[in-house]
Amino acid sequence: MKRILIIDDDAELCDLLTKFLARESLTAETVHNGETGLARALTGDYQLVILDVMLPDTSGFEVLRRIRAVSQIPVVMLTAKGEEIDRVIGLEIGADDYLPKPFSPRELVARLNAVWRRYEMPPAVQQNAPEIISIGDLTIEIEARTVRVGGQPIEMTTAEFDVLLVLGRAAGRVVLREEIARAALGRSLAPFDRSVDMIVSKIRRKLGRFRNDAERIRAVRNSGYIYARPSQNDV
């Protein structure tokens, strides 16, 4: 049975979610402040963290930053309704997904399952995929979920790895934003949803540019992104 840590100061919401998740055969434990939540999240006892942005002692963003400094545990953030900046910042820091309040518990479970599917890489998916994708100096090891540029390891969150994998598999052709969202995030994009753009931006910074200063991942206006196939002079 998977164990979930909920870090949220809304005791009523935590109680509701705990009971609902129990009916889905998921064990949830709750913490109502950031410092205690951070300590519990890093124990290795949980398979996922649900983290509220607004906490009484410290922000959820700070908790996420400190989690990401030492752990790649999946994190789904709860944000205020309509606060796009919260979603953008959360994805920038390394959240795997977000859900604006108020939300349906069933939608939350669907988001959790989508994150787990990406994080755990079911064997059936692995069998149909090449073990290693190499594009110039970029190497993506699918089963190990590792990324290297020029032989140097690059740390990736679950969402970042999955978006890069989609682009890497399609290197040299444009992948629509909606296609990236469905394949990598397990959901469709909502209107004005910039989650794919923010994740791609984070990946770009981590990978750096080609040797000739060209972008590895290029935006195609009003369409999507393409991972450029490098020439010999690019890497």
Side-chain angles (χ1 to χ4, degrees):
M1 183 179 290
K2 289 185 171 69
R3 298 182 68 192
I4 298 170
L5 177 65
I6 303 173
I7 308 175
D8 194 311
D9 64 332
D10 187 335
E12 185 177 350
L13 175 63
C14 288
D15 184 59
L16 172 66
L17 290 180
T18 299
K19 291 176 180 176
F20 184 86
L21 293 171
R23 294 201 295 270
E24 300 291 323
S25 299
L26 298 169
T27 298
E29 297 179 16
T30 62
V31 174
H32 303 307
N33 66 78
E35 290 297 328
T36 304
L38 174 64
R40 294 277 288 278
L42 298 180
T43 60
D45 294 336
Y46 305 95
Q47 283 72 55
L48 186 140
V49 175
I50 298 172
L51 174 62
D52 189 26
V53 169
M54 300 297 292
L55 294 169
D57 57 334
T58 187
S59 77
F61 299 135
E62 178 60 24
V63 174
L64 179 59
R65 283 191 188 94
R66 292 163 68 183
I67 288 175
R68 282 290 171 259
V70 294
S71 172
Q72 294 301 314
I73 185 173
V75 177
V76 174
M77 298 203 77
L78 304 180
T79 68
K81 184 178 181 181
E83 291 297 328
E84 180 187 7
I85 187 62
D86 287 350
R87 300 193 290 274
V88 169
I89 293 172
L91 290 167
E92 280 280 339
I93 298 171
D96 293 279
D97 207 345
Y98 63 84
L99 201 57
K101 293 181 177 180
F103 55 83
S104 160
R106 290 192 179 280
E107 182 180 2
L108 175 63
V109 170
R111 294 290 184 94
L112 301 184
N113 286 331
V115 169
W116 276 321
R117 282 195 298 272
R118 304 197 310 267
Y119 187 77
E120 294 170 350
M121 287 294 291
V125 173
Q126 294 175 0
Q127 290 170 4
N128 294 329
E131 291 185 358
I132 297 176
I133 295 175
S134 294
I135 311 163
D137 61 347
L138 173 71
T139 302
I140 305 172
E141 297 183 33
I142 295 174
E143 289 194 34
R145 294 183 68 82
T146 60
V147 175
R148 294 178 182 274
V149 172
Q152 297 300 311
I154 307 295
E155 288 292 330
M156 292 273 170
T157 66
T158 301
E160 291 163 4
F161 180 89
D162 291 328
V163 169
L164 178 60
L165 183 57
V166 171
L167 293 171
R169 282 175 169 156
R173 74 171 179 85
V174 177
V175 186
L176 301 179
R177 286 180 176 83
E178 183 66 27
E179 184 181 348
I180 295 171
R182 287 197 304 269
L185 306 182
R187 60 178 173 82
S188 297
L189 289 176
F192 310 110
D193 188 337
R194 297 181 58 209
S195 52
V196 167
D197 304 296
M198 300 313 302
I199 293 169
V200 169
S201 176
K202 193 78 177 289
I203 294 170
R204 281 170 161 168
R205 287 199 294 273
K206 288 187 175 184
L207 298 184
R209 292 171 173 260
F210 288 129
R211 190 169 60 183
N212 66 357
D213 204 37
E215 286 278 14
R216 294 173 182 270
I217 302 174
R218 299 171 187 167
V220 179
R221 187 174 178 84
N222 299 322
S223 181
Y225 291 95
I226 179 172
Y227 191 99
R229 285 198 172 278
S231 66
Q232 278 190 323
N233 294 329
D234 291 337
V235 296

